[in-house]
């Protein structure tokens, strides 16, 4: 039930998702979520991939996302982080990719 409420909120903010048998992925590249939005996404159970615009996110907000259990991939656009901070996110488990415009 918590996933449904969070995904409804995501759609209302302009994000999207795919939730099928093989994959559960969230995309928030076209919206600028803040740390509160990242915390909300972090409540998603079973999410495997997140693609997010990080313009308004702090390191802590991205760390919260990277620590989601079962998260395999975190794709970041408008990344405000240093390479050392990115390595800290990778150490939490997911593959972390930065989109460079």
């Amino acid at each position: 039930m918590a996933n449904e409420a969070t995904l409804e909120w995501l759609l209302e903010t302009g994000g999207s998702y795919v939730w099928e048998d093989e994959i559960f992925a969230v995309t928030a590249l076209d919206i600028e979520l803040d740390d509160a939005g990242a915390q909300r996404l972090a409540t998603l159970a079973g999410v495997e991939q997140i693609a997010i615009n990080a313009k308004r996110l702090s390191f802590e907000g991205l760390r919260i996302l990277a620590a989601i259990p079962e998260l395999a991939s975190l794709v970041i656009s408008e990344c405000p982080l240093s390479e050392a901070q990115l390595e800290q996110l990778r150490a939490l488990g997911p593959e972390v990719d930065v989109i460079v415009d």
Side-chain angles (χ1 to χ4, degrees):
M1 228 24 177
N3 275 2
E4 287 84 358
T6 300
L7 293 172
E8 183 176 322
W9 165 81
L10 178 68
L11 292 175
E12 289 171 358
T13 63
S16 62
Y17 68 91
V18 174
W19 190 1
E20 298 177 355
D21 290 338
E22 300 85 31
I23 188 71
F24 181 14
V26 168
T27 302
L29 291 171
D30 295 329
I31 55 177
E32 295 178 10
L33 294 179
D34 57 12
D35 287 352
Q39 287 185 306
R40 190 145 187 194
L41 288 180
T43 67
L44 291 170
V47 67
E48 300 164 284
Q49 297 177 357
I50 295 178
I52 194 160
N53 179 319
K55 185 175 184 178
R56 295 180 53 208
L57 291 173
S58 68
F59 172 71
E60 182 61 20
L62 288 165
R63 190 198 64 74
I64 288 167
L65 292 174
I68 295 172
E70 300 179 40
L71 188 70
S73 174
L74 178 61
V75 177
I76 304 169
S77 73
E78 298 198 45
C79 184
L81 304 181
S82 68
E83 190 57 40
Q85 289 173 315
L86 289 170
E87 286 304 317
Q88 289 179 43
L89 295 182
R90 290 180 180 111
L92 293 171
E95 180 179 327
V96 177
D97 294 310
V98 176
I99 298 172
V100 180
D101 294 333

